[in-house]
Amino acid sequence: MWNRKFTMIINENDIENIFTELDSKWEKVEDSSKWRWPVEIHRTNQHTLLNNPDIFQYAYDINYNPRFWAMVECINNLQDVSDLTLLDMGCDVGLHSIVATQKFKKVIGLDRHELSCKRASTTQKVFTENGYDVSNFSIRNKDYSDYCVGEHLDDEVDAILWSTGSGLFREEYDGHGILKELEDFIENNKLVIIEPGKPQHNIDNGLKYLRDRNFDNIEVLVYRERTFLIGRK
């Protein structure tokens, strides 16, 4: 039967048009400096500085936050993923997850912050109310380590989106930390998408990490001057 989900994409215009409504409905924090690193987006025409410190996936205007928009392009250009279940590691407000719902069989948004998960739930509700089929999106309020050591089996996860892990690849992984903890989980997936950050050192470490996890089919793609590593098995 024809399935709307896999014949559409949620594109830049869709997100721009709905973002003001999303931003008005997301739960706020009183002191955002204690919540998350600042996202600073400079307007090119004036010296106006737009600060929204506790929302990583800030998407008010397509000319700002190129890292966010680059991932949207990357997801929408993926091929042969409609039979996979994607885990969005650190889903934040869930916008990348929502874009991915139109490409993947199922999408699991994972975030250890309760506020992020509440916002991601709001994101799903707003998109649904605006006529988008995002019913294949589920949210898990868990730490990486807790979820990926066994709970992922119930969700039948076989693909990973890691858009917030750039800091993990700054230094050579040496058997410690989250990268070491997740080795078996990563290795047992069919598809891994990593945005390792701009420095070449990060990219080299990301490539090595995927190769060490036995991904022998690795694409290096660039969208909006951001590099993406896509490993397949």
Side-chain angles (χ1 to χ4, degrees), residues 40-58:
E40 297 182 346
I41 307 163
H42 294 269
R43 296 187 183 275
T44 56
N45 54 346
Q46 296 289 340
H47 22 264
T48 307
L49 181 65
L50 177 62
N51 283 318
N52 202 338
D54 62 326
I55 296 176
F56 174 73
Q57 295 180 357
Y58 201 80

Side-chain angles (χ1 to χ4, degrees), residues 7-40:
T7 59
M8 294 183 66
I9 62 171
I10 294 175
N11 62 26
E12 296 167 343
N13 290 334
D14 295 321
I15 297 169
E16 276 192 302
N17 290 338
I18 208 171
F19 189 80
T20 299
E21 181 181 357
L22 287 169
D23 195 33
S24 70
K25 292 182 177 179
W26 284 327
E27 184 177 335
K28 307 299 181 184
V29 292
E30 293 183 2
D31 185 0
S32 57
S33 66
K34 296 179 180 179
W35 163 247
R36 193 73 59 86
W37 58 89
V39 176
E40 297 182 346

